[in-house]
Amino acid sequence: MKIHWGYKIMIVYSFFVVGMLFLVIKSTMQKFELVQPDYYADELKYQTVIDASQRAKNFQVALNVQKQAGKLNIMLPKEFNNKKVTGKAHLYYAADIQKDIVKKFDTNNGTFTIETFSTTKGNYTLKLEVMKEGVSYYYEQKIFL
């Protein structure tokens, strides 16, 4: 049996419409998360991060991060040794905010440890805010756990 060309065109258009409807429905069900819930206010304060990052680059030795089973050992440059240092470590996972790890720390010897979990595998960005003697420093480093 031979199908008329008009029916063939109608079948192709029908498949196209069904395909487009499927993509529209699928895209409305997709979950999108913002990097920061209040990104505009964070953007206004970003100059302080730029200044703190520049201060951190002035040290001769960079940040040293060592991965071990279930934890991350972070060693600050020697300028932070024997000084009271406080800060916040944020392991940022871009794909899912639920996998982010945030930990505040205090140290006198320039080293501290972050507990990681076996279920948190993937590419992370370590965002480290450090405060020493009233001066802030900022480090950022890519890490694969």
Side-chain angles (χ1 to χ4, degrees):
M1 175 176 175
K2 190 171 183 178
I3 299 177
H4 190 266
W5 64 270
Y7 290 118
K8 291 179 185 178
I9 290 174
M10 187 178 69
I11 291 171
V12 169
Y13 279 132
S14 298
F15 277 121
F16 176 75
V17 168
V18 168
M20 290 304 290
L21 286 174
F22 173 76
L23 290 175
V24 167
I25 291 169
K26 202 69 164 150
S27 67
T28 58
M29 296 167 58
Q30 187 69 26
K31 180 178 80 169
F32 292 104
E33 295 178 354
L34 294 174
V35 173
Q36 297 287 332
D38 191 15
Y39 64 92
Y40 185 70
D42 287 343
E43 183 66 29
L44 293 175
K45 295 186 278 184
Y46 197 69
Q47 185 61 41
T48 59
V49 172
I50 293 170
D51 295 339
S53 180
Q54 186 59 41
R55 280 191 291 276
K57 287 180 185 176
N58 291 336
F59 293 134
Q60 298 294 335
V61 180
L63 183 69
N64 187 2
V65 179
Q66 295 177 347
K67 295 182 284 186
Q68 290 181 344
K71 59 178 127 173
L72 220 72
N73 292 326
I74 300 172
M75 289 168 271
L76 298 170
K78 65 182 177 180
E79 288 82 7
F80 292 98
N81 290 349
N82 300 322
K83 306 251 193 246
K84 175 76 172 151
V85 176
T86 61
K88 181 175 82 167
H90 181 190
L91 280 169
Y92 168 70
Y93 189 73
D96 187 5
I97 197 167
Q98 302 297 326
K99 292 186 178 181
D100 283 7
I101 299 171
V102 178
K103 181 178 180 185
K104 293 186 179 191
F105 63 90
D106 293 323
T107 182
N108 288 325
N109 61 359
T111 63
F112 63 96
T113 302
I114 298 175
E115 296 286 331
T116 59
F117 306 103
S118 61
T119 59
T120 56
K121 302 233 183 282
N123 284 325
Y124 283 84
T125 303
L126 174 64
K127 297 179 178 184
L128 191 64
E129 299 171 18
V130 180
M131 183 72 75
K132 177 187 83 160
E133 298 173 344
V135 180
S136 63
Y137 301 91
Y138 180 80
Y139 294 96
E140 194 167 301
Q141 184 174 343
K142 301 277 186 197
I143 297 173
F144 184 80
L145 297 178

